Amino acid sequence: MQLPPPRGPLSAWLNDRLTGSDDGDRTIVVGPSGRPFADDDLQLALWVAYELQYRGFDEVDPDRQWDPSVIAFRTQLERPWIAWLEANCRIRPTDEPVAEQLRALIDADDGPRLAPYLRRHASTEQFREFVLHRSVYQLKEADPHSFGIPRLDGAAKAALVEIEADEYGGGRWERMHSELFRTTMRWLELDDTYGYYVSEVPAVTLAVSNVMSLFAIHRRWTAALIGHLAALEMTSTHPNRQYAAGAARLGASPAQARYFTEHVEADAVHEQIAAHDLCGSYVRQHPDALADVLFGARCSLALDNLFAKQLLTRWNAPARNPRRAATATG
Ligand SMILES: [Fe+2]
Ligand SMILES: [Fe+2]
């Protein structure tokens, strides 16, 4: 993919550095950001910096992945981002098993009603917009959490591999969840090229991916990474049933809606594996990691709620929710 156009001085500095048009003498300081999740320049610069760990960019030398000035810059970008996550998503653990604490956290979450809206009311254009935003992550679905595999041992590693094997289609590329998502994109006449819509989506949509990448590339956030995955899996079945119904209402064939129906089935199993076998085993191995597992899960819920609120606000749809309605897909 091509580097997305910059949205301010931070993303401009990074693009210049990555393409070699900056000789390295020009320094940049990342200032404070009160709402980093809504800061377009900050989130785009983070997204580009993280993408160096995935597919990279056509015009960027692969060795830029380990350019010390780029890594130092990324560290600066992460400071206000992590500070906001810590201030808003850190919760105090209890003595209950981690699976029960994850369940309680999710049951207490009172998110915007995106899934019911998509099921009953969304126009084709709104559904297309939803899928366009989601493509920023879904075209690399499971890739961030795969960074956790070499960092785990024993039962936790086996559990993560079991989940990820399903996400990657069990060895059949056409069944990879990212490929199923491509079929849904084509139904809506969207371009399914990796990263195609990054330059169009706002900060919050990028932040949904950036929180995963933050946890993925830093080994010190391994516990948060698996907590994040658990929250995705545990909030997937019910909303995906509603997305599938919304897609069918708008004329999608079973194949075109299969991405959603697949997650109704698969994530009913994944949520058990993630909560008990993955997070449960990991916390037994690393009791001090409990707080970070819950932190990762809370970050996932918080960013998905902001994402849902963004779309419902754009559509002038009611965002309040008497009961929780999650938006994620694992
Ligand atoms: Fe999936
Ligand atoms: Fe899943």
Side-chain angles (χ1 to χ4, degrees):
M1 67 178 291
Q2 302 284 312
L3 277 169
R7 300 186 192 174
L10 302 177
S11 46
W13 182 92
L14 184 55
N15 278 16
D16 288 349
R17 181 68 192 160
L18 292 176
T19 54
S21 53
D22 175 359
D23 61 8
D25 291 339
R26 190 162 59 92
T27 58
I28 182 135
V29 175
V30 179
S33 179
R35 298 170 77 232
F37 64 87
D39 185 328
D40 274 307
D41 191 24
L42 179 84
Q43 291 296 339
L44 182 64
L46 272 172
W47 196 91
V48 168
Y50 289 140
E51 190 57 26
L52 300 174
Q53 310 296 325
Y54 297 98
R55 273 70 153 182
F57 302 93
D58 297 345
E59 67 270 54
V60 176
D61 184 329
D63 285 337
R64 291 286 182 186
Q65 180 184 6
W66 300 111
D67 180 331
S69 71
V70 172
I71 293 171
F73 177 61
R74 190 188 71 209
T75 303
Q76 282 198 67
L77 296 170
E78 287 172 337
R79 279 194 193 113
W81 180 218
I82 293 171
W84 184 87
L85 293 167
E86 287 279 4
N88 289 276
C89 301
R90 188 57 82 174
I91 55 173
R92 188 186 298 271
T94 69
D95 294 331
E96 299 294 314
V98 63
E100 290 182 21
Q101 294 191 61
L102 287 166
R103 172 48 57 198
L105 183 64
I106 288 161
D107 288 347
D109 185 56
D110 184 20
R113 297 173 59 79
L114 180 61
Y117 183 84
L118 287 163
R119 176 182 183 172
R120 295 194 187 91
H121 307 297
S123 65
T124 300
E125 192 52 44
Q126 289 170 337
F127 208 95
R128 179 182 292 119
E129 187 178 355
F130 165 68
V131 169
L132 180 156
H133 282 252
R134 289 279 301 265
S135 72
V136 171
Y137 167 60
Q138 249 63 48
L139 291 179
K140 63 175 163 200
E141 183 166 334
D143 289 349
H145 301 101
S146 293
F147 279 82
I149 294 171
R151 297 171 184 157
L152 299 180
D153 284 305
K157 184 195 278 287
L160 180 54
V161 170
E162 185 176 5
I163 294 170
E164 297 295 86
D166 283 348
E167 304 291 341
Y168 292 126
R172 292 177 59 183
W173 75 269
E174 74 278 8
R175 296 185 64 172
M176 290 195 295
H177 291 181
S178 54
E179 292 299 320
L180 299 181
F181 195 80
R182 283 196 157 91
T183 302
T184 302
M185 292 186 77
R186 291 193 292 270
W187 161 55
L188 293 162
E189 300 178 340
L190 291 166
D191 193 312
D192 65 355
T193 306
Y194 180 88
Y196 187 85
Y197 293 107
V198 167
S199 59
E200 294 186 24
V201 299
V204 169
T205 302
L206 298 173
V208 169
S209 285
N210 284 341
V211 76
M212 294 185 231
S213 296
L214 168 71
F215 297 155
I217 69 163
H218 294 284
R219 185 164 49 84
R220 65 94 62 228
W221 289 117
T222 300
L225 181 71
I226 64 171
H228 184 284
L229 177 61
L232 282 192
E233 303 293 352
M234 295 172 79
T235 57
S236 175
T237 296
H238 184 55
N240 272 290
R241 189 175 287 117
Q242 301 193 70
Y243 302 150
R249 174 178 61 80
L250 294 169
S253 69
Q256 290 163 336
R258 184 165 170 206
Y259 175 82
F260 304 119
T261 53
E262 176 78 12
H263 282 89
V264 175
E265 302 282 327
D267 288 344
V269 178
H270 289 174
E271 73 169 81
Q272 300 299 323
I273 301 171
H276 295 278
D277 302 334
L278 174 58
C279 294
S281 300
Y282 190 78
V283 170
R284 273 193 295 280
Q285 295 165 346
H286 308 276
D288 293 343
L290 172 60
D292 275 0
V293 171
L294 299 174
F295 172 66
R298 186 72 191 87
C299 289
S300 173
L301 298 174
L303 267 298
D304 281 325
N305 287 343
L306 289 167
F307 172 76
K309 185 179 175 190
Q310 161 192 251
L311 285 181
L312 291 170
T313 301
R314 268 181 53 75
W315 300 339
N316 291 317
R320 293 310 309 153
N321 187 10
R323 299 172 58 233
R324 61 162 290 277
T327 63
T329 296

